[in-house]
Amino acid sequence: MNTMQTMNTILAEVKRKKPVIECITNYVTIGDCANIILAAGASPIMAEDIREVKEIVAISGAVVLNIGTLQEQTVKAMRLAGEEANRLNIPVVLDPVGVGASNLRNVTAEMLLKHVQFSVIRGNLSEIKAIYGIQSGTKGVDAAEGETADAEAIEIVRGVAKRYGCTVAATGAQDIIASPERMAILENGHPMMADVTGTGCMCSAVVGAMCGGGVGDSFAEAALAVSMMSISGEMAEEFVRAQGAGIGTFREKLFDFMYGFDAELLEKRGKIREL
Amino acid sequence: MNTMQTMNTILAEVKRKKPVIECITNYVTIGDCANIILAAGASPIMAEDIREVKEIVAISGAVVLNIGTLQEQTVKAMRLAGEEANRLNIPVVLDPVGVGASNLRNVTAEMLLKHVQFSVIRGNLSEIKAIYGIQSGTKGVDAAEGETADAEAIEIVRGVAKRYGCTVAATGAQDIIASPERMAILENGHPMMADVTGTGCMCSAVVGAMCGGGVGDSFAEAALAVSMMSISGEMAEEFVRAQGAGIGTFREKLFDFMYGFDAELLEKRGKIREL
Amino acid sequence: MNTMQTMNTILAEVKRKKPVIECITNYVTIGDCANIILAAGASPIMAEDIREVKEIVAISGAVVLNIGTLQEQTVKAMRLAGEEANRLNIPVVLDPVGVGASNLRNVTAEMLLKHVQFSVIRGNLSEIKAIYGIQSGTKGVDAAEGETADAEAIEIVRGVAKRYGCTVAATGAQDIIASPERMAILENGHPMMADVTGTGCMCSAVVGAMCGGGVGDSFAEAALAVSMMSISGEMAEEFVRAQGAGIGTFREKLFDFMYGFDAELLEKRGKIREL
């Protein structure tokens, strides 16, 4: 079965199961992540109290850990949730927001990567580079511009995928999706997505939603989720341009188009090039 | 004075007084709850530090406690706020988000119900069933589907109202409002409301806003607030359908229609059947 | 160079540098503050863990401290971030949300004002009065109505500016901007802005964004930021009125118009009267 067929199966399974997605995430975009998970067909829960995360993980189809606003307690909860998910064979997604911007974020990402086996790491290219250990200008927590999939970038993403034995989705002007064995370049999306906070966090949340379908192909699940976000972003920008509107409208339409996303749209607009 | 007349009085009093509504609530929908309280004509404050909650409660017209994202400190603040509100005869609303999904949520809800006399408990039917002590498939924290007001459901809601001596609003496909003496079935609303996170939290926040009017009829206040949310949801869905839009637009219009809600609209669209 | 010319320089510098703005802020409006900072041309980061704030401040163009939802840990982080910013000559903005409503908020604002040299204090007139030490009806955390720039108000704002040696922006029906030497009355804006939560927090965030441009004229930076918010609010209200919409649409358009704000719009619509 090819990747596109697998993606259609994933979409169908998510709609059918409406899996619970447990997110331990930052407070800046927590509401947007819950809404985008619902728009993508899954059911969010944002439990972060260490006393309940194991129980919540047990009823979840996937777990998303996002380090955007760190606090001592939530980091403990993230590790516990990740370890429990591993024990129960529930996929875990890492969004290493702002890694490279502070030692705390570096240490936290390393700690989680040491103790938890992730299915997918989703970050901006600059964040994936920071994980690889290369100096890269992480600027704020929003996507640095002009992150294109040059040969060096591709090698770095592949390297991280091999080191941690998981799928890595490095999003930017072009998106690079790599597993230890597979590689794809995605070319949907629009720069306006970087003008709204949380499009990266939301992308990771959608990766979690797709992993929650239980198909078990994290490469296809990540590529699908990134395509869903990028295509929704393209369509939102087209709407905004036609209306002469701005990012308030863009943000609203992003949810509208994610809500209406289906296999036909993926077929028609998806720009997924497997290498 | 009949319930409909009382509702009009409540609406008028809230607009006149613009009461402060103190919410100790979850971080997923905290901004939406503040905005819906403003849209409903009241004034939100979200103070959760144990060192200030008593002072804030003292200037409030009602208090809303929502257990959606539990943390040790905020649970202490919830109990303190609830006890102080009881001491000052300020109505308190409980939203037992996700009760049934974890032991921590069950224990927390029970603790609050033991120490605080609530005026209204507002939850999904599955959450009200969990409080009643019946196994019910709480799934994520969003409304499970097809929760209709069958005879068993009605008995459960009435039972919880009698046990805790308060009004209980169990929202779902149909909404059941019960006090120890009264009972109503509400039939406004649209399934799309379950596709946006926080419509339940927002409903509880509006219950708080209506209780803040100080009329003191918690049954009418809860029935009014649920009707306000459901009618706004119906109108938002009609707008979205006409536009071929999605949940981003739905969410925005929900605030628009709540902002424009008035007695005339309640008269025209309200489907409130007292049993 | 007059104030208007300086404002144009500030706008240009922010767009050119896209400075990182570190915000330690409340959870109610944290996402809105991040989005409005992006819309204003800067890059937000909301780091609040005491273990990373110094590093984050070091890469920031400005720091915004907002006491809307206090917690013990974040207050410590606010002081540390403010002191580090002072050490590095990075401008710091204070939003004393709800000061006057509780002793904790008063004590926290006083502590921060004692240990941190602020460039700008941005609050509702009632909050600025509370800082001045005058009893004033702080109601919830949203703007009390009818706050006009009478002679007494002007003296209070000037007094706070002199006492703390910084710019003070007191926003209301009219906005008063004062530095120890300068004074301006701004008359843009619309009452509907008070019907959306966080317009005050967002205004302070935009003040931070403008300070991040590095021009170093905090009076002009504050007056510009307040004008940007008020003019965006006016335009959003005009849009909403034309559509017969409400505050959901208003909120969305606020971001649209901030995103499209430029020097020409300031020239055309700005109502800035220097005294």
Side-chain angles (χ1 to χ4, degrees), chain C:
Chain C
M1 187 159 75
N2 67 33
T3 304
M4 191 61 79
Q5 289 169 320
T6 308
M7 289 183 180
N8 294 342
T9 309
I10 294 163
L11 272 175
E13 283 302 290
V14 171
K15 299 275 179 200
R16 191 175 66 77
K17 291 181 179 168
K18 207 180 188 203
V20 172
I21 310 302
E22 153 72 331
C23 304
I24 303 180
T25 189
N26 72 73
Y27 298 142
V28 185
T29 63
I30 188 168
D32 294 333
C33 287
N35 274 316
I36 207 76
I37 285 170
L38 278 163
S43 181
I45 185 163
M46 270 61 181
E48 60 176 32
D49 190 303
I50 199 152
R51 296 166 295 172
E52 73 172 340
V53 285
K54 285 176 74 171
E55 275 175 282
I56 300 299
V57 167
I59 60 168
S60 301
V63 173
V64 179
L65 307 181
N66 174 310
I67 68 169
T69 50
L70 289 170
Q71 290 181 328
E72 211 154 1
Q73 281 310 306
T74 45
V75 172
K76 286 183 191 148
M78 285 184 193
R79 176 178 170 177
L80 185 64
E83 289 175 335
E84 181 69 2
N86 282 168
R87 204 176 66 71
L88 301 172
N89 291 310
I90 294 165
V92 190
V93 176
L94 174 66
D95 188 333
V97 180
V99 66
S102 79
N103 181 58
L104 177 64
R105 287 168 197 249
N106 296 347
V107 167
T108 302
E110 282 164 24
M111 183 279 286
L112 291 171
L113 285 161
K114 176 160 175 273
H115 294 286
V116 179
Q117 173 61 54
F118 289 95
S119 295
V120 182
I121 303 170
R122 202 297 316 167
N124 304 328
L125 184 52
S126 58
E127 291 160 347
I128 300 303
K129 284 180 175 174
I131 283 178
Y132 192 70
I134 285 172
Q135 280 294 359
S136 68
T138 295
K139 194 188 183 208
V141 292
D142 296 303
E145 275 145 49
E147 293 186 335
T148 52
D150 56 25
E152 184 211 19
I154 287 171
E155 275 325 295
I156 287 167
V157 177
R158 195 196 303 274
V160 174
K162 287 190 168 150
R163 187 196 301 163
Y164 298 106
C166 66
T167 295
V168 175
T171 55
Q174 290 174 307
D175 310 304
I176 308 170
I177 316 290
S179 74
E181 306 78 23
R182 295 155 75 184
M183 168 72 63
I185 306 296
L186 279 52
E187 291 180 318
N188 291 106
H190 190 279
M192 191 178 262
M193 294 174 79
D195 294 335
V196 178
T197 198
T199 46
C201 302
M202 287 188 254
C203 186
S204 300
V206 176
V207 172
M210 294 305 107
C211 291
V215 170
D217 180 339
S218 65
F219 180 83
E221 287 155 349
L224 170 60
V226 172
S227 300
M228 290 168 79
M229 273 304 290
S230 300
I231 291 169
S232 301
E234 282 175 9
M235 296 171 75
E237 189 279 334
E238 290 162 11
F239 182 93
V240 164
R241 195 159 12 96
Q243 301 261 320
I247 65 161
T249 301
F250 177 84
R251 196 164 154 279
E252 174 194 338
K253 297 309 292 183
L254 201 57
F255 289 98
D256 280 0
F257 290 119
M258 178 63 71
Y259 188 65
F261 194 89
D262 59 15
E264 197 185 310
L265 202 57
L266 179 65
E267 178 66 39
K268 203 171 84 209
R269 298 190 65 137
K271 294 179 187 163
I272 302 168
R273 184 157 46 84
E274 285 197 67
L275 305 184

Side-chain angles (χ1 to χ4, degrees), chain A residues 43 49 82 87 97 111 122 129 131 179 203 210 236:
Chain A
S43 182
D49 191 302
R87 203 176 65 73
V97 179
M111 181 279 284
R122 201 297 316 167
K129 283 181 177 174
I131 283 178
S179 73
C203 186
M210 294 305 108

